[in-house]
Amino acid sequence: MTIIRIALALVAAAFAVSAAGCRKEEVAAAKSQPQMIWRTVGSWSGHGNRQTESFTSDSGALRVKWETMSAGTSATSGGFRLTAHSAISGRVLQQVVEVQGTGSGVDYVSQDPHVFYMSVESAGLDWKFSVEEGIAAEVVSGSR
């Protein structure tokens, strides 16, 4: 009986060492890749001038997707300007977009973490835009 117990103990020890070795290989094979994850802050649409409600960005990195459309008048004469402001002081932090006529695009705001609001100045165009906050993250992937 003693020999059987010793043999079982040796087999259990060998299994434990082998399992630990496999786990280390999995961890070593895992690779991390820096990536930006975008969280929706809000979206707005309309025509004419407008000021959004304030919103907080903990990163200060914003992605703005915008589009201008003809409001039934001559779209070539219409203008659209979108500006990021400090909701604390009201000062202009960054002009995000300034275009004439219809169009669309993606622009970025890069500031310190802040409480923001956006102001729209528009004439002769319908517009819409959305704001997303960028959050830095690392995606870890491993082979299995």
Side-chain angles (χ1 to χ4, degrees):
M1 290 289 238
T2 307
I3 294 178
I4 294 175
R5 286 185 184 172
I6 293 172
L8 287 175
L10 288 173
V11 168
F15 180 75
V17 168
S18 139
C22 289
R23 177 68 184 140
K24 285 181 184 176
E25 288 175 19
E26 284 181 26
V27 171
K31 297 177 184 177
S32 72
Q33 300 172 5
Q35 185 174 0
M36 189 68 83
I37 297 172
W38 296 97
R39 174 187 70 86
T40 300
V41 172
S43 61
W44 298 267
S45 62
H47 57 275
N49 300 339
R50 173 144 184 220
Q51 178 178 309
T52 70
E53 63 277 1
S54 61
F55 56 89
T56 301
S57 170
D58 294 326
S59 69
L62 303 176
R63 177 168 68 181
V64 180
K65 297 178 181 178
W66 60 272
E67 181 179 1
T68 58
M69 294 90 37
S70 174
T73 59
S74 175
T76 57
S77 65
F80 174 74
R81 179 183 300 146
L82 183 63
T83 310
H85 293 260
S86 166
I88 306 302
S89 68
R91 70 183 170 90
V92 171
L93 295 173
Q94 184 176 327
Q95 183 172 299
V96 183
V97 180
E98 184 168 20
V99 296
Q100 289 294 123
T102 61
S104 63
V106 177
D107 288 285
Y108 296 88
V109 173
S110 180
Q111 297 288 322
D112 290 331
H114 221 87
V115 181
F116 293 87
Y117 73 85
M118 305 296 270
S119 71
V120 175
E121 296 173 59
S122 177
L125 293 170
D126 291 333
W127 50 262
K128 64 181 178 179
F129 69 94
S130 63
V131 176
E132 301 170 310
E133 177 183 21
I135 302 166
E138 284 192 30
V139 176
V140 178
S141 61
S143 58
R144 290 190 179 225

